[in-house]
Short mmCIF file of all heavy atoms in Angstrom, two decimals:
data_model
loop_
_atom_site.label_atom_id
_atom_site.label_comp_id
_atom_site.label_asym_id
_atom_site.label_seq_id
_atom_site.Cartn_x
_atom_site.Cartn_y
_atom_site.Cartn_z
N LEU A 223 139.60 22.19 -2.65
CA LEU A 223 139.61 21.53 -3.95
C LEU A 223 140.83 20.71 -4.02
O LEU A 223 140.86 19.61 -4.57
CB LEU A 223 139.57 22.81 -5.07
CG LEU A 223 139.16 22.25 -6.46
CD1 LEU A 223 137.80 21.78 -6.31
CD2 LEU A 223 139.14 23.44 -7.30
N ARG A 224 142.05 21.19 -3.57
CA ARG A 224 143.23 20.47 -3.68
C ARG A 224 143.19 19.09 -2.91
O ARG A 224 143.64 18.10 -3.32
CB ARG A 224 144.47 21.26 -3.26
CG ARG A 224 144.88 22.35 -4.31
CD ARG A 224 145.96 23.18 -3.60
NE ARG A 224 147.18 22.49 -3.18
CZ ARG A 224 148.19 21.94 -3.98
NH1 ARG A 224 148.12 22.24 -5.24
NH2 ARG A 224 149.12 21.22 -3.51
N ILE A 225 142.50 19.19 -1.82
CA ILE A 225 142.19 17.99 -0.93
C ILE A 225 141.33 16.96 -1.69
O ILE A 225 141.69 15.84 -1.80
CB ILE A 225 141.77 18.35 0.43
CG1 ILE A 225 142.80 19.20 1.27
CG2 ILE A 225 141.34 17.07 1.17
CD1 ILE A 225 142.37 19.68 2.56
N LEU A 226 140.27 17.55 -2.18
CA LEU A 226 139.35 16.74 -2.87
C LEU A 226 139.91 16.02 -4.15
O LEU A 226 139.57 14.85 -4.55
CB LEU A 226 138.15 17.57 -3.45
CG LEU A 226 137.17 18.06 -2.32
CD1 LEU A 226 136.20 18.93 -2.90
CD2 LEU A 226 136.54 16.85 -1.48
N LEU A 227 140.94 16.70 -4.64
CA LEU A 227 141.68 16.10 -5.98
C LEU A 227 142.93 15.45 -5.60
O LEU A 227 143.69 15.11 -6.58
CB LEU A 227 141.77 17.17 -6.93
CG LEU A 227 140.56 17.89 -7.53
CD1 LEU A 227 140.93 19.13 -8.40
CD2 LEU A 227 139.65 16.92 -8.25
N LEU A 228 143.13 15.11 -4.24
CA LEU A 228 144.28 14.38 -3.86
C LEU A 228 145.65 15.14 -4.19
O LEU A 228 146.65 14.52 -4.37
CB LEU A 228 144.27 12.98 -4.45
CG LEU A 228 143.19 12.01 -4.07
CD1 LEU A 228 143.30 10.70 -4.91
CD2 LEU A 228 143.04 11.78 -2.70
N GLN A 229 145.49 16.43 -4.20
CA GLN A 229 146.68 17.16 -4.64
C GLN A 229 147.44 17.80 -3.40
O GLN A 229 148.56 18.24 -3.49
CB GLN A 229 146.37 18.32 -5.67
CG GLN A 229 145.86 17.81 -6.93
CD GLN A 229 146.85 17.01 -7.61
OE1 GLN A 229 148.10 17.38 -7.83
NE2 GLN A 229 146.49 15.78 -8.00
N ASP A 230 146.61 17.89 -2.28
CA ASP A 230 147.28 18.56 -1.08
C ASP A 230 147.56 17.49 0.00
O ASP A 230 146.78 16.69 0.36
CB ASP A 230 146.20 19.60 -0.51
CG ASP A 230 146.90 20.51 0.46
OD1 ASP A 230 147.22 20.11 1.56
OD2 ASP A 230 146.91 21.76 0.15
N ARG A 231 148.83 17.57 0.36
CA ARG A 231 149.22 16.68 1.48
C ARG A 231 149.79 17.30 2.66
O ARG A 231 150.26 16.75 3.62
CB ARG A 231 150.19 15.60 0.94
CG ARG A 231 151.43 16.21 0.38
CD ARG A 231 152.33 15.11 -0.24
NE ARG A 231 151.69 14.50 -1.43
CZ ARG A 231 152.11 13.23 -1.93
NH1 ARG A 231 153.10 12.61 -1.44
NH2 ARG A 231 151.46 12.72 -2.81
N SER A 232 149.66 18.71 2.64
CA SER A 232 150.35 19.49 3.68
C SER A 232 149.67 19.24 5.11
O SER A 232 150.43 19.24 6.16
CB SER A 232 150.27 20.99 3.47
OG SER A 232 148.93 21.42 3.24
N TYR A 233 148.30 18.92 5.03
CA TYR A 233 147.66 18.68 6.37
C TYR A 233 148.06 17.39 7.06
O TYR A 233 147.71 17.01 8.19
CB TYR A 233 146.07 18.65 6.11
CG TYR A 233 145.62 17.59 5.23
CD1 TYR A 233 145.11 16.39 5.83
CD2 TYR A 233 145.54 17.75 3.79
CE1 TYR A 233 144.55 15.41 5.01
CE2 TYR A 233 145.09 16.79 3.01
CZ TYR A 233 144.56 15.62 3.72
OH TYR A 233 144.06 14.55 2.90
N LEU A 234 148.83 16.54 6.21
CA LEU A 234 149.25 15.24 6.96
C LEU A 234 150.53 15.39 7.74
O LEU A 234 151.14 14.47 8.28
CB LEU A 234 149.58 14.20 5.84
CG LEU A 234 148.40 13.57 5.08
CD1 LEU A 234 148.62 12.81 3.92
CD2 LEU A 234 147.35 12.89 5.98
N GLY A 235 151.20 16.62 7.61
CA GLY A 235 152.41 16.92 8.34
C GLY A 235 153.60 16.50 7.34
O GLY A 235 153.40 16.09 6.21
N SER A 236 154.70 16.82 7.87
CA SER A 236 155.96 16.90 6.96
C SER A 236 156.67 15.55 7.06
O SER A 236 157.25 14.96 6.14
CB SER A 236 156.95 17.95 7.21
OG SER A 236 157.28 17.88 8.65
N GLY A 237 156.57 14.85 8.23
CA GLY A 237 157.32 13.50 8.37
C GLY A 237 156.63 12.37 7.63
O GLY A 237 155.43 12.45 7.41
#
Side-chain angles (χ1 to χ4, degrees):
Chain A
L223 200 59
R224 282 176 58 82
I225 293 170
L226 291 174
L227 299 173
L228 301 173
Q229 296 300 307
D230 193 294
R231 57 184 65 198
S232 58
Y233 64 95
L234 292 172
S236 56

